[in-house]
């Protein structure tokens, strides 16, 4: 690469606005919020072309598409296939050719076939392409006719540095400052030049990096800023994004246009929905246009409106309500089922809240006739929960079957305990089963034997009903109730599952489809007489507390450990830090010894056997700030307590 041209003198904003006034040229900008199918540049280019046709019909002069809108974003190591990279180039050229009718900005992988990346393979860039008149623009002040992503996220689900070469690395290779490579693009639209700051997703979140691309580019006083993104849905993220982008536009006095993807992408163990929620911010930071979430959409706005200021702010779609969670979960389920070609599902329904909510969600997505509900009672299942399961199926209109497991479980127990083991010395021995082992035999018999066989006969798959609290500490049987092709509730805490149940009844169906008894009954696996629901006996998890304790282990940005938890307990701020009900801890654990015993029990589960279970769990549908799977990467290192924890524990126990 030859040294890049490093830009011109930066005009004052007043001069720039004065020039725009003299060269007044009203243009219409289209936000192409497209559904992107990962790994399908053929389908994606077709979708973009259709949006281009619509934008041309609507007299738009520029259309903007999301980051990686040709290949998709979360592709795993597909990026190592050179034939796939050439395919992306070819389909990208089709979009460039269409810029004869309308100027286009879009995201694609860019390849420098003469250079290598850090992995020794051909060098790839996550790039923003700007085209007008049938050819790319931007090469006049940069060595490539595209712009390269500067900041590569390497946290949560992101793994950009594994495949792509960043602008910061290009700068280091050339021995210059990265700021010198951040150059706007000049596009001729309707015969007039417009200077555009092209930003790619993470580049707008530069406050946590040593370089802030937005601040650097706005010094050139561009006519507007474009952020193309492929940003997965996370509950509450859009609220922060709108705050950040609004501030950037207002501080610079420059309109900002954000275009994001919709659809579903995954990195194997974790499945992500992309909500879009694209928006245009005027020069005062007000939202002038906003696309609806979870649907492809073409929004067109006048540039003059962004430049002068919107007459009235647009309200962005909510993203943290229980209704939004319902939309995200059902959207993800629908897209995932379609992507794997599954049209029918079998669900084991116990009468409990998790399986009831799962049944209602699948019935909503697939239609009740395509969801077979199965009750699998043993001697420990009460008439109460069996009646709830039957009522649920009737309310939803799903086919329903009852298959008792008692005989099969007894056969397994008999086989294990009465079959002799021949030892090397010629003697025989027999194995015995504890009550806990017997509980797991029931759970595995239900899933690995009955549900799996029913799914094959029904022509579908069977699902996992585990919630996030259970997954955190492994309170779901491996190869039993933790089995299935998808875990749609596994990124929802128990209290969120309850909230979904109420929302489904009150808002989605407008009637009681999930029986109220399912909501009111004590949560229980019903695998022994010690879990008799009619006697108020249930799970060892106290969800109003453990939901929040476990959330601190997983979702807090600075993830909590027993040292943190015990420090907060000692300081009397434990409920405040966890976010649970005030006074709850003291009522549950009257003494420090009881509190510590509970904490250590679940920490050992979370960092011990539960890790192995999670590694083998079905893919998780992500909606939170940290979902299990690739988003929460973990190794089987075993249980550990810090030195300061042990010292504080000793102090509290001997106080």
């Amino acid at each position: 690469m030859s040294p890049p041209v490093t830009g011109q003198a930066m005009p004052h904003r007043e001069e720039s606005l004065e020039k725009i006034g003299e060269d007044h040229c009203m243009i219409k900008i289209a936000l192409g919020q497209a559904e992107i199918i990962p790994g399908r540049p053929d389908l994606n280019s077709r979708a973009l072309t259709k949006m281009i046709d619509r934008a041309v019909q609507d007299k738009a002069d520029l259309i903007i598409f999301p980051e990686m809108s040709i290949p998709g974003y979360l592709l795993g190591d597909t990026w190592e296939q050179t034939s796939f990279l050439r395919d992306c180039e070819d389909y990208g050229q089709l979009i460039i050719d269409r810029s004869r009718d309308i100027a286009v900005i879009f995201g694609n992988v860019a390849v420098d076939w003469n250079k290598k990346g850090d992995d020794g393979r051909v060098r790839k860039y996550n790039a923003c392409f700007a085209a007008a008149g049938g050819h790319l623009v931007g090469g006049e002040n940069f060595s490539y006719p595209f712009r390269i992503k500067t900041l590569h996220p390497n946290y949560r689900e992101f793994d950009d540095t594994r495949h792509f070469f960043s602008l910061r690395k290009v700068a280091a290779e050339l021995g210059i400052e990265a700021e010198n490579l951040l150059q706007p693009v000049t596009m001729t639209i309707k015969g007039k030049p417009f200077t555009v700051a092209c930003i790619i997703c993470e580049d707008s979140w530069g406050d946590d990096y040593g370089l802030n691309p937005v601040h650097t580019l706005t010094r050139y006083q561009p006519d507007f800023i474009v952020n193309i993104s492929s940003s997965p849905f996370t509950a509450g993220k859009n609220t922060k994004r709108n705050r950040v982008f609004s501030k950037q536009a207002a501080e610079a006095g420059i309109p900002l246009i954000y275009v994001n993807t919709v659809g579903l992408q995954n990195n194997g163990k974790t499945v992500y929905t992309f909500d879009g929620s694209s928006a245009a911010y005027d020069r005062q930071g007000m939202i002038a246009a906003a696309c609806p979430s979870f649907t492809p959409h073409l929004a067109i706005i006048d540039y003059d409106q962004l430049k002068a200021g919107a007459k009235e702010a647009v309200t962005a779609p909510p993203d943290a309500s229980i209704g939004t969670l319902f939309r995200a979960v059902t959207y993800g389920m629908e897209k995932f089922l379609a992507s794997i070609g599954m049209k029918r599902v079998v669900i084991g329904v116990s009468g409990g809240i998790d399986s009831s909510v799962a049944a209602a969600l699948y019935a909503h997505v697939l239609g009740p006739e395509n969801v077979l509900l199965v009750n699998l009672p043993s001697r420990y299942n009460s008439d109460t929960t069996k009646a709830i399961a039957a009522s649920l199926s009737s309310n939803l209109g799903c086919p329903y079957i009852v298959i008792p497991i008692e005989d099969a479980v007894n056969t397994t127990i008999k086989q294990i305990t009465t079959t002799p083991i021949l030892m090397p010395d010629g003697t025989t021995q027999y194995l015995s089963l504890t009550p806990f082992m017997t509980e797991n035999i029931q759970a595995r018999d239900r899933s690995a034997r009955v549900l799996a066989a029913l799914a094959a006969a029904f022509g579908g798959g069977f699902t996992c009903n585990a919630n996030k609290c259970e997954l955190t500490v492994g309170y779901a049987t491996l190869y039993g109730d933790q089995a299935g092709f998808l875990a749609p509730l596994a990124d929802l805490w128990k209290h969120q599952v309850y909230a979904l149940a109420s929302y489904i009844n009150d808002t989605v169906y407008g009637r009681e489809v999930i029986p109220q008894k399912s909501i009111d009954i004590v949560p229980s696996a019903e695998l022994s007489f010690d879990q008799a629901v009619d006697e108020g006996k249930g799970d060892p998890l106290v969800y109003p507390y453990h939901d929040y304790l476990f959330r601190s282990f997983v979702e807090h940005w600075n993830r909590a450990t027993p040292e943190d938890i015990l420090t907060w307990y000692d300081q009397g701020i434990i409920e405040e830090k966890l976010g649970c009900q005030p006074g709850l801890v003291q009522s549950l654990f009257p003494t420090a010894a009881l509190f510590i015993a509970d904490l250590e029990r679940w920490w050992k589960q979370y960092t011990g056997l539960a890790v192995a279970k999670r590694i083998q769990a079905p893919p998780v549908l992500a909606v939170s700030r940290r979902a299990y799977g690739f988003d929460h990467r973990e190794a089987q290192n075993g249980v550990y307590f810090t030195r300061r924890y042990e010292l504080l524990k000793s102090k509290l126990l001997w106080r």
Side-chain angles (χ1 to χ4, degrees):
M1 176 189 289
S2 58
V5 181
T6 57
Q8 314 266 319
M10 304 175 191
H12 293 294
R13 184 61 190 164
E14 293 77 7
E15 295 174 0
S16 179
L17 289 175
E18 187 177 308
K19 179 179 182 298
I20 291 173
E22 292 173 356
D23 296 331
H24 175 75
C25 175
M26 186 178 73
I27 63 169
K28 295 170 71 175
I29 301 175
L31 283 63
Q33 180 172 286
E35 179 176 351
I36 303 303
I37 311 298
R40 292 303 302 270
D42 55 338
L43 299 180
N44 295 332
S45 62
R46 192 180 307 164
L48 268 56
T49 299
K50 288 181 179 178
M51 276 196 165
I52 288 173
D53 291 339
R54 286 176 49 202
V56 170
Q57 290 175 3
D58 292 341
K59 309 299 183 183
D61 304 293
L62 167 66
I63 185 167
I64 304 168
F65 292 113
E67 175 187 17
M68 290 295 189
S69 52
I70 297 297
Y73 186 36
L74 301 180
L75 304 185
D77 287 348
T78 299
W79 295 117
E80 296 176 358
Q81 301 172 1
T82 55
S83 58
F84 178 78
L85 299 176
R86 291 191 182 92
D87 218 32
C88 293
E89 286 186 325
D90 292 344
Y91 282 108
Q93 186 58 49
L94 296 180
I95 303 303
I96 295 168
D97 293 341
R98 288 304 311 275
S99 70
R100 294 185 178 89
D101 304 316
I102 181 175
V104 183
I105 295 175
F106 69 100
N108 195 6
V109 58
V111 186
D112 188 333
W113 297 99
N114 298 314
K115 290 185 179 294
K116 290 186 177 181
D118 292 337
D119 60 356
R121 294 182 174 88
V122 64
R123 183 175 296 182
K124 300 172 287 292
Y125 301 110
N126 182 338
C128 178
F129 291 81
H135 58 85
L136 291 174
V137 299
E140 71 282 353
N141 58 352
F142 192 60
S143 292
Y144 291 125
F146 48 78
R147 292 299 179 264
I148 300 169
K149 191 171 185 177
T150 303
L151 307 177
H152 283 185
N154 197 28
Y155 54 84
R156 289 201 58 197
E157 68 270 26
F158 304 111
D159 203 14
D160 287 26
T161 55
R162 179 177 175 86
H163 300 291
F164 303 110
F165 211 75
S166 71
L167 190 74
R168 290 194 292 179
K169 288 183 179 178
V170 172
E173 183 178 64
L174 295 172
I176 61 177
E177 295 295 326
E179 286 88 344
N180 294 328
L181 297 180
L182 283 164
Q183 301 292 327
V185 171
T186 299
M187 306 184 73
T188 299
I189 306 174
K190 293 181 73 171
K192 299 292 183 180
F194 285 83
T195 304
V196 185
C198 293
I199 299 291
I200 305 175
C201 202
E202 186 78 2
D203 292 346
S204 283
W205 300 86
D207 289 345
D208 293 329
Y209 294 85
L211 171 65
N212 193 315
V214 173
H215 290 172
T216 299
L217 281 166
T218 53
R219 293 205 303 264
Y220 289 95
Q221 296 298 299
D223 293 306
F224 54 95
I225 304 164
V226 168
N227 179 301
I228 61 170
S229 286
S230 186
S231 182
F233 169 82
T234 296
K237 186 200 289 186
N238 281 332
T239 300
K240 181 176 181 180
R241 179 189 291 117
N242 286 326
R243 186 169 63 248
V244 170
F245 287 7
S246 176
K247 181 181 178 182
Q248 289 175 351
E251 287 183 347
I254 301 171
L256 188 154
I257 300 167
Y258 164 72
V259 182
N260 189 27
T261 298
V262 297
L264 192 81
Q265 302 188 40
N266 73 87
N267 48 30
K269 290 294 291 184
T270 318
V271 180
Y272 300 92
T273 60
F274 289 72
D275 61 319
S277 300
S278 307
Y281 305 80
D282 69 14
R283 61 187 298 264
Q284 298 168 335
M286 291 175 57
I287 300 176
C291 295
S293 57
F294 298 111
T295 184
H297 188 77
L298 186 73
I300 298 179
I301 189 167
D302 291 335
Y303 168 68
D304 279 8
Q305 180 183 352
L306 297 178
K307 182 183 66 174
K311 295 180 181 179
E312 185 176 353
V314 172
T315 302
D319 69 335
S321 66
I322 194 64
T324 306
L325 277 181
F326 172 82
R327 182 76 190 282
V329 171
T330 53
Y331 179 80
M333 292 169 66
E334 178 185 359
K335 293 296 180 182
F336 186 78
L337 289 165
S339 70
I340 63 175
M342 187 173 291
K343 299 178 180 179
R344 310 186 91 186
V345 170
V346 173
I347 304 175
V349 289
S350 63
I353 191 66
D354 296 319
S355 61
S356 296
V357 168
L361 291 172
Y362 277 105
H364 179 80
V365 169
L366 289 174
E369 69 280 4
N370 295 311
V371 180
L372 175 61
L373 304 185
V374 190
N375 187 242
L376 302 151
S378 72
R379 73 178 74 176
Y380 305 116
N381 292 91
S382 66
D383 290 338
T384 300
T385 54
K386 287 186 281 188
I388 292 172
S391 178
L392 171 73
S393 66
S394 177
N395 294 347
L396 289 173
C398 294
Y400 181 63
I401 185 172
V402 178
I403 300 182
I405 63 169
E406 189 72 27
D407 290 345
V409 169
N410 288 338
T411 297
T412 300
I413 293 172
K414 182 178 179 181
Q415 287 177 320
I416 299 300
T417 57
T418 64
T419 302
I421 301 175
L422 301 179
M423 306 303 292
D425 62 2
T427 61
T428 59
Q429 292 185 9
Y430 292 87
L431 296 175
S432 60
L433 293 169
T434 66
F436 177 72
M437 296 173 187
T438 302
E439 291 180 17
N440 284 333
I441 288 173
Q442 295 173 70
R444 293 190 179 104
D445 189 74
R446 285 170 171 151
S447 293
R449 186 178 71 87
V450 180
L451 291 182
L454 278 175
F458 192 60
F462 73 96
T463 190
C464 173
N465 300 327
N467 61 61
K468 194 167 188 175
C469 193
E470 293 172 336
L471 208 61
T472 297
V473 291
Y475 193 65
T477 304
L478 192 61
Y479 316 127
D481 45 350
Q482 192 167 294
F485 70 91
L486 177 68
L489 304 181
D491 201 26
L492 295 171
W493 299 105
K494 191 76 166 186
H495 67 273
Q496 293 176 306
V497 177
Y498 279 112
L500 267 183
S502 298
Y503 181 83
I504 288 168
N505 282 349
D506 299 340
T507 304
V508 178
Y509 286 90
R511 59 187 175 88
E512 186 180 294
V513 294
I514 297 176
Q516 186 61 40
K517 286 185 177 180
S518 180
I519 298 172
D520 296 338
I521 201 168
V522 59
S524 174
E526 288 193 296
L527 294 173
S528 72
F529 290 124
D530 291 332
Q531 297 173 331
V533 295
D534 289 335
E535 299 175 23
K537 299 176 181 178
D539 297 342
L541 294 162
V542 182
Y543 294 105
Y545 169 65
H546 288 122
D547 262 0
Y548 299 90
L549 174 67
F550 300 164
R551 187 177 67 178
S552 74
F553 295 166
V554 184
E555 293 185 14
H556 283 197
W557 188 254
N558 293 310
R559 292 167 52 206
T561 67
E563 179 185 322
D564 302 301
I565 302 299
L566 208 55
T567 300
W568 299 337
Y569 174 82
D570 184 42
Q571 295 173 348
I573 57 173
I574 182 69
E575 290 99 348
E576 176 188 344
K577 288 292 188 179
L578 295 182
C580 61
Q581 180 183 346
L584 180 60
V585 170
Q586 181 61 34
S587 67
L588 293 174
F589 311 108
T591 67
L594 290 172
F595 178 81
I596 290 170
D598 180 83
L599 173 61
E600 293 192 354
R601 173 187 183 180
W602 298 117
W603 179 256
K604 289 174 181 177
Q605 286 290 108
Y606 167 61
T607 58
L609 183 59
V611 180
K613 288 186 174 184
R614 285 192 293 270
I615 290 172
Q616 299 182 68
V620 171
L621 181 60
V623 294
S624 77
R625 66 176 63 188
R626 179 62 69 85
Y628 285 118
F630 196 81
D631 191 7
H632 178 49
R633 308 177 205 188
E634 49 192 345
Q636 299 186 68
N637 294 332
V639 181
Y640 178 71
F641 294 93
T642 63
R643 178 176 178 273
R644 291 186 179 185
Y645 170 80
E646 298 291 358
L647 292 173
L648 183 55
K649 172 184 172 181
S650 297
K651 185 189 82 170
L652 288 170
L653 292 178
W654 287 98
R655 180 177 290 174

